[in-house]
Amino acid sequence: MNIITITLNPAVDKSTRVEAVAPEKKLRCEKPVFEPGGGGINVSRAIKKLGGESCAWFLSGGATGEKLGELMQAEGVSFRAFSCAEATRENFAVYETSSGQEYRFGMPGPEIAEHEWKQLLQALEELEDVPQFVVASGSLSPGVPDDFYAQLAEVAVKKGFKLVVDTSGAALIKAAGAGIYLLKPNLNELAALAGKEHITAKEQEELAQQVLAEGKSQVLVVSLGARGAMLATKDGFEYVTPPTVKLQSAVGAGDSMVGGMVLKLSEGWAWPDVIRYGVATGTATTMTPGSELCRKPDVEEIYAWLKARS
């Protein structure tokens, strides 16, 4: 498999719709929808929806973990589940039809023992068919050390695969360094990577150059929210601003963006087109309800729009 994704804190995402959210009232919800969730899992789901293939590696425990595997099978996404003692988490999202607002409830992950998270590192080291890309995305469950992604980067150096990391907080700061091919921070995370508390729009290129010069990553894709994204490489910068679309749900948009980019990188696309395709994928995901992720026709239409304006 050319692309492997890794999710340390996966989830079953449960979503529903209700006319109005109100306290102390019995709320009559629509039939719930269950979908696989978690950073790397969403990356793999997006790649599948775009016509590509990857293998999603994740920790799985209890009845929720079994449900997660069933949902992955239903979507036709290849996966490898690594067992853990405690049950996989379940997240919950409610869309309020009267206002168009979405309420998202993220649950903490299970407590992970040392031998459980080390399974994934060992399995990567033992791989004979080394993938071109490994994408490590999402939060870390309790019990997984903040330097897990940094340990993953050490394996990347040994095995020779390109490591893409999309996370936040201490896990992001400790991951940055040798062995990281691509990081996808937002502006606040970019500031943290550069050792600053705040960032202005004027500083973003300077700080991105600093992060690259310090060897914290070979490439940066900085999320700019509704303004799209900034690509930073040793050759300079490129900005991609998406078209205005009707927002349904932002769940999985960042993961989908990563999936679109990594898929096209694996196909040999050049970075200017890769970043446009990634923005198109992320934008298309915001057009779908709940945790559905992108639809390929939407992605292709938005990408063509971006390409025409480049």
Side-chain angles (χ1 to χ4, degrees):
M1 191 67 73
N2 212 20
I3 303 170
I4 289 175
T5 66
I6 292 180
T7 310
L8 269 294
N9 197 11
V12 169
D13 285 338
K14 182 179 182 180
S15 60
T16 187
R17 296 161 65 92
V18 69
E19 183 179 357
V21 175
E24 300 180 14
K25 288 188 177 181
K26 187 174 287 188
L27 306 178
R28 302 295 181 182
C29 300
E30 294 182 12
K31 184 178 180 180
V33 175
F34 295 89
E35 289 164 305
I41 284 175
N42 281 334
V43 172
S44 281
R45 292 175 67 214
I47 288 172
K48 182 69 178 181
K49 287 176 179 289
L50 295 170
E53 292 294 334
S54 67
C55 186
W57 290 16
F58 55 86
L59 290 168
S60 171
T64 328
E66 292 179 12
K67 176 72 171 178
L68 179 57
E70 292 170 3
L71 293 169
M72 294 290 279
Q73 285 181 327
E75 292 197 10
V77 180
S78 298
F79 68 92
R80 180 175 176 184
F82 294 78
S83 64
C84 58
E86 293 193 12
T88 299
R89 65 185 174 141
E90 180 179 272
N91 291 333
F92 185 50
V94 179
Y95 181 82
E96 188 179 56
T97 58
S98 60
S99 68
Q101 297 287 336
E102 185 179 50
Y103 297 84
R104 296 160 62 180
F105 303 87
M107 305 301 166
E111 185 75 29
I112 302 300
E114 182 178 7
H115 72 275
E116 292 172 341
W117 60 261
K118 280 190 171 180
Q119 295 176 90
L120 288 90
L121 296 176
Q122 184 177 348
L124 274 175
E125 291 197 5
E126 292 173 352
L127 279 181
E128 293 184 5
D129 295 327
V130 179
Q132 184 182 2
F133 291 94
V134 172
V135 183
S137 178
S139 61
L140 299 176
S141 279
V144 180
D146 288 341
D147 69 347
F148 175 84
Y149 291 139
Q151 293 187 48
L152 196 54
E154 293 177 9
V155 179
V157 173
K158 290 180 195 173
K159 301 292 287 187
F161 55 78
K162 291 180 177 178
L163 178 60
V164 178
V165 173
D166 183 13
T167 189
S168 59
L172 172 64
I173 303 304
K174 292 189 177 182
I180 301 292
Y181 175 66
L182 169 65
L183 291 176
K184 193 188 76 66
N186 59 29
L187 284 174
N188 289 334
E189 291 161 353
L190 175 62
L193 283 168
K196 291 183 174 287
E197 290 188 8
H198 305 288
I199 187 172
T200 66
K202 293 180 180 179
E203 293 177 305
Q204 62 193 41
E205 291 187 4
E206 177 187 341
L207 296 187
Q209 285 179 328
Q210 177 186 327
V211 170
L212 294 175
E214 291 173 351
K216 293 180 177 178
S217 179
Q218 294 180 43
V219 182
L220 284 174
V221 172
V222 182
S223 297
L224 303 176
R227 294 187 293 125
M230 177 185 77
L231 168 69
T233 69
K234 60 180 177 56
D235 298 321
F237 302 92
E238 177 136 4
Y239 291 85
V240 179
T241 304
T244 301
V245 299
K246 184 178 180 181
L247 176 66
Q248 291 244 34
S249 171
V251 175
D255 299 322
S256 296
M257 180 181 179
V258 172
M261 290 192 298
V262 173
L263 175 61
K264 294 309 175 185
L265 285 170
S266 73
E267 294 175 359
W269 283 30
W271 263 112
D273 286 332
V274 165
I275 184 70
R276 290 187 196 100
Y277 198 84
V279 168
T281 307
T283 304
T285 297
T286 69
M287 298 165 62
T288 60
S291 307
E292 186 182 329
L293 301 187
C294 56
R295 296 168 184 161
K296 189 175 181 181
D298 293 334
V299 176
E300 300 294 344
E301 183 179 348
I302 296 169
Y303 173 71
W305 186 91
L306 292 170
K307 185 78 171 170
R309 284 154 180 77
S310 61

